[in-house]
Amino acid sequence: MKEDKKSKILTLVGTLLIMIGVFAVIFLLIMTNGGETRTSDNRGNESISALVCRSGGRDDSFFKSESANNIMNEIKVTFEGEEYDKIYYSYEGVYRDTEVADKDETRMHIDYDVYMSDNSVSASSLSPSFSVVKNKLHLTLIADEKKEFNKATAVFFYVDEETVSEFGNYSMSEMKNYYESKDFSCGETK
């Protein structure tokens, strides 16, 4: 009888622990899904601000898809004070199913690797990230250091070869004008 009671108590405690774990996972998923991510970098008295420019599917994009139902291209340029600091690119494509997204991810990853190799640039220099979750393909590239943004890598950030050398000296408003002239919608954050 005592063993039966101990067994029931242990089963109850185990069930409660599992339920608490499940609720914790659900809570974390809800809190982190689709939210805004803020990144800050404390570098003395200089303020960090960003220019964020978005556009849908584009003919001039390195990463193109005829299979995606919806595409969002985003360029984010961070500034330390008034000076250009880093530039990011992200692609998000929504597909009819995971299989189609996986095929595009494989093709785009190969295209990226081949392009970088053909231009004698290390594929890892832009910290590429390619991932498929359900029917969405998400990829990001980051030119963390100014030397990583050059004539070969500028194509990913929609910067013309003739503009590359002066682009790093643009102010935020000049970059905003540049991207808006290419039909991006841009906003500034502080």
Side-chain angles (χ1 to χ4, degrees):
M1 186 85 151
K2 282 186 176 182
E3 284 186 34
D4 189 35
K5 191 173 182 179
K6 278 184 181 179
S7 175
K8 286 182 181 179
I9 290 173
L10 287 175
T11 302
L12 180 63
V13 168
T15 304
L16 286 173
L17 289 174
I18 290 171
M19 288 176 60
I20 290 170
V22 169
F23 285 123
V25 169
I26 291 171
F27 177 77
L28 287 173
L29 286 173
I30 290 170
M31 294 306 290
T32 60
N33 191 16
E36 180 177 318
T37 302
R38 292 185 178 254
T39 304
S40 63
D41 189 354
N42 190 2
R43 298 184 188 182
N45 294 333
E46 292 291 332
S47 65
I48 302 293
S49 56
L51 174 67
V52 180
C53 299
R54 294 183 176 102
S55 179
R58 304 178 58 88
D59 291 335
D60 62 343
S61 181
F62 182 86
F63 298 104
K64 297 178 188 175
S65 175
E66 294 184 14
S67 305
N69 296 337
N70 188 25
I71 296 173
M72 179 57 63
N73 292 287
E74 181 179 88
I75 301 290
K76 183 187 289 183
V77 185
T78 59
F79 290 81
E80 183 176 349
E82 297 296 315
E83 188 175 316
Y84 153 75
D85 185 41
K86 296 177 173 86
I87 188 165
Y88 307 78
Y89 167 74
S90 71
Y91 166 100
E92 184 168 278
V94 179
Y95 297 81
R96 71 176 173 269
D97 60 38
T98 305
E99 186 178 317
V100 177
D102 282 334
K103 285 180 183 175
D104 249 14
E105 185 270 337
T106 300
R107 180 187 52 78
M108 288 180 184
H109 205 151
I110 290 169
D111 289 349
Y112 171 80
D113 287 345
V114 168
Y115 175 84
M116 295 296 269
S117 176
D118 288 350
N119 285 280
S120 302
V121 179
S122 168
S124 64
S125 68
L126 295 179
S127 305
S129 171
F130 293 78
S131 63
V132 174
V133 177
K134 295 186 181 179
N135 66 330
K136 290 183 181 176
L137 165 58
H138 187 77
L139 70 90
T140 58
L141 303 173
I142 303 167
D144 232 352
E145 296 181 29
K146 289 183 181 180
K147 67 181 179 184
E148 294 165 347
F149 179 80
N150 54 50
K151 285 186 179 187
T153 61
V155 67
F156 303 118
F157 305 100
Y158 301 92
V159 177
D160 303 322
E161 193 173 310
E162 20 336 301
T163 309
V164 171
S165 59
E166 59 197 53
F167 186 81
N169 297 320
Y170 280 0
S171 67
M172 185 181 288
S173 63
E174 288 172 320
M175 283 191 190
K176 181 178 180 185
N177 290 338
Y178 178 82
Y179 280 112
E180 286 179 343
S181 75
K182 293 184 164 289
D183 295 325
F184 278 82
S185 175
C186 299
E188 300 172 22
T189 62
K190 298 274 181 191

